[in-house]
Amino acid sequence: MTRQYKNIVILTGAGISAESGLSTFRSEDGLWNKHRVEDVATIEAFIRNPDYVHEFYNEMRPELFAAQPNAAHKAITTLQEKYPAQISVVTQNVDTLHEKAGNKNVYHIHGQINQMVCLNCGHVFESWGAFSSEDTCEKCGVTAMLKPNIVFFGEDLLCMNDVDRLLRSCDLFLSVGTSGVVYPAAGFVQIAKMFGADTYEFNMEKTSNNMMFDAHIYGPAGTTLPTFVDKLTAEVKQ
Ligand code: APR
């Protein structure tokens, strides 16, 4: 790697938080093997049984609140501090481990577990608390319209105008800990590649869209990403 990069986009998925003790979605003991997506991650499920959906996220909040960032999250902070480029994190994760590690320019395209949104007035607020269909929006006063600010299947992703701009201008695209099966995120590598980026995939194994990447670095991200960052920062021309 001798190219000096100017704009770096790092796409992350549940795998980057695995070494912080958080479940991924599609592994053997993953979240989607314990709960049906149709019951907890679609708007239809929320309308059909809001309190069942609230309970799923109420149970998730304390674990995510207590989770600590691992070496992979911290490596991104090191890169942002030491490498002279615009470095953005586009995360599919709803945990706040990127922020806890000190990462800047973090875009949560699937939302955040510590935010709620009112489906009546659009008000978004932060909370690590527990919610039910009895709760009222502090802004519009309407009850039973508060939903976790997490993008459910079938809903539009968040921050997509920013993300599209970042993908079209990046010259290095890293994908870390995502199975590459959920679009549009799984298609981001194609946009980056089309606009001339070098593309690297960090995973434990081959993924569904691995042919889209120039290089693959296999192993736990808590080890592979810090090593990659050390190499990249060592090449910065003094
Ligand atoms: N280091 C690197 N990669 C890892 C590690 C690790 N320590 N542990 C697991 N992985 C990889 C797995 O091999 C897998 O490819 O992380 C990936 C996790 O894949 P998923 O469980 O499918 O999670 P993700 O890709 O983030 O899912 C995308 O799907 O259900 C939706 O909204 C949900 O944001 C989520 C989206």
Side-chain angles (χ1 to χ4, degrees):
M1 245 176 328
T2 47
R3 192 173 166 183
Q4 288 290 307
Y5 297 105
K6 298 262 169 302
N7 293 292
I8 302 174
V9 170
I10 305 172
L11 170 69
T12 65
I16 198 170
S17 299
E19 291 161 83
S20 295
L22 298 185
S23 302
T24 58
F25 290 95
R26 294 173 181 82
S27 55
E28 241 116 81
D29 60 346
L31 280 173
W32 295 154
N33 289 327
K34 294 178 192 146
H35 300 272
R36 286 171 10 102
V37 167
E38 297 75 13
D39 294 340
V40 294
T42 65
I43 275 288
E44 295 76 12
F46 188 68
I47 293 164
R48 186 174 62 243
N49 189 344
D51 285 325
Y52 184 80
V53 175
H54 276 303
E55 214 23 57
F56 176 69
Y57 295 101
N58 289 344
E59 281 168 22
M60 197 189 276
R61 273 188 205 95
E63 187 191 8
L64 270 56
F65 178 76
Q68 291 306 310
N70 62 61
H73 299 102
K74 292 173 186 167
I76 295 172
T77 299
T78 304
L79 188 66
Q80 289 182 326
E81 286 169 350
K82 290 192 175 168
Y83 195 87
Q86 177 67 25
I87 303 170
S88 306
V89 179
V90 175
T91 188
Q92 300 172 90
N93 299 339
V94 297
D95 65 51
T96 55
L97 294 180
H98 285 296
E99 290 82 358
K100 286 182 181 174
N103 295 179
K104 302 271 179 280
N105 314 326
V106 180
Y107 296 85
H108 282 270
I109 55 172
H110 289 171
Q112 287 176 240
I113 188 71
N114 60 319
Q115 286 183 349
M116 296 296 286
V117 60
C118 173
L119 297 179
N120 180 58
C121 71
H123 177 52
V124 174
F125 61 95
E126 308 252 330
S127 171
W128 286 98
F131 289 85
S132 77
S133 57
E134 260 126 68
D135 288 303
T136 302
C137 174
E138 61 188 9
K139 189 160 178 231
C140 69
V142 167
T143 302
M145 292 295 269
L146 292 181
K147 166 187 164 294
N149 192 25
I150 288 177
V151 175
F152 287 170
F153 284 94
E155 287 190 298
D156 288 340
L157 266 57
L158 305 176
C159 328
M160 279 311 285
N161 292 338
D162 290 324
V163 169
D164 196 48
R165 174 179 48 78
L166 292 171
L167 292 172
R168 290 162 182 267
S169 58
C170 79
D171 46 17
L172 178 62
F173 179 85
L174 310 180
S175 173
V176 185
T178 181
S179 55
V181 296
V182 175
Y183 284 80
F188 288 173
V189 57
Q190 283 160 281
I191 302 170
K193 200 172 173 63
M194 216 185 297
F195 284 85
D198 291 341
T199 56
Y200 287 76
E201 181 172 55
F202 294 76
N203 204 296
M204 301 296 283
E205 60 194 7
K206 250 185 168 190
T207 63
S208 319
N209 60 354
N210 85 308
M211 76 302 280
M212 293 308 302
F213 289 91
D214 302 319
H216 304 87
I217 300 180
Y218 295 117
T223 306
T224 57
L225 198 54
T227 306
F228 184 84
V229 165
D230 288 348
K231 260 194 238 146
L232 210 52
T233 48
E235 289 180 0
V236 173
K237 288 195 178 61
Q238 303 310 337

